[in-house]
Amino acid sequence: MANTNAPFGFRQYSGTGSAPTYEQNVRYIASNNTTAIFFGDAVIPLTTGYIGQATASTVRVEGIFAGCKYVSVSQKRTVWSNYWPGTSDANGDVEAYIIDDPNAKFVVQSSDTTGTSPITFANVGEYIGLVVGTGNTATGISGMTVDQDTLNTTVTLPFRIVGLVTSPPGADGTDTATEYNQVIVAFNNASTRTNGAGPVGIA
């Protein structure tokens, strides 16, 4: 059965810690950051010291966004949210929670920006880039996917394919012969994962 195009970002699959918090650490979002960051988005380090939503490039990632809290000016209270809406309603910096364990693995939907090809078992071990997509403001869930077109041996790509989702058989995302199949990825070019020469990926 063909897979459905229904992205959900990077969903924790395994890691050193345990559910539900896994290996979450605190970073900060500038209160004037107008770009929304959704639950399951990859985030990047900014030159300001804050984090922002990742872009479809080879820049290193800081982790996967898992929610935030901030003091709301309009509501006069602390707001806990699974996504940063990109508003100017925060009084002061936004406390963000990200999963940055270098051994973490994530399930993510694949996509093909120029065709309809799936990611196959032959691609396990290759590096891959991301597509930002459109997050869901009703649920706060990410719209990110990994892009089949970017599969390569380039060590500066942010993720590495470590497996495909194949069970339960017949479930959406498990058809390895059609586009939008789900894959398991690990960090490659990440701040917490280096090859000894800085955060430029693992060869």
Side-chain angles (χ1 to χ4, degrees), residues 6-15 22 38-42 64-66 99 104-109 141-142 144-146 159 165 167 172-173 182-186:
F8 48 83
F10 295 87
R11 181 184 297 161
Q12 182 91 39
Y13 176 76
S14 67
Y22 289 99
F38 295 88
F39 187 92
D41 271 356
I64 302 300
F65 186 76
I99 300 167
K105 295 181 178 63
F106 304 90
V107 173
V108 61
Q109 180 187 293
I141 300 299
S142 170
M144 286 190 177
T145 61
V146 287
F159 296 97
V165 176
S167 63
D172 188 34
Q182 295 175 15
V183 299
I184 303 167
V185 299

Side-chain angles (χ1 to χ4, degrees), residues 98-186:
I98 67 167
I99 300 167
D100 61 357
D101 171 32
N103 298 311
K105 295 181 178 63
F106 304 90
V107 173
V108 61
Q109 180 187 293
S110 70
S111 61
D112 185 349
T113 52
T114 63
T116 58
S117 299
I119 293 174
T120 69
F121 282 106
N123 301 127
V124 172
E126 295 182 5
Y127 306 132
I128 195 165
L130 60 84
V131 177
V132 176
T134 303
N136 188 323
T137 56
T139 63
I141 300 299
S142 170
M144 286 190 177
T145 61
V146 287
D147 185 3
Q148 194 271 351
D149 277 344
T150 64
L151 283 166
N152 210 314
T153 56
T154 307
V155 296
T156 50
L157 287 167
F159 296 97
R160 178 168 49 93
I161 302 292
V162 297
L164 306 184
V165 176
T166 58
S167 63
D172 188 34
T174 62
D175 183 354
T176 61
T178 63
E179 188 182 10
Y180 308 128
N181 63 313
Q182 295 175 15
V183 299
I184 303 167
V185 299

Side-chain angles (χ1 to χ4, degrees), residues 21 23-27 96-101 192:
T21 56
E23 309 79 25
Q24 291 180 22
N25 284 304
V26 174
R27 298 291 192 280
Y97 310 106
I98 67 167
I99 300 167
D100 61 357
D101 171 32
T192 55

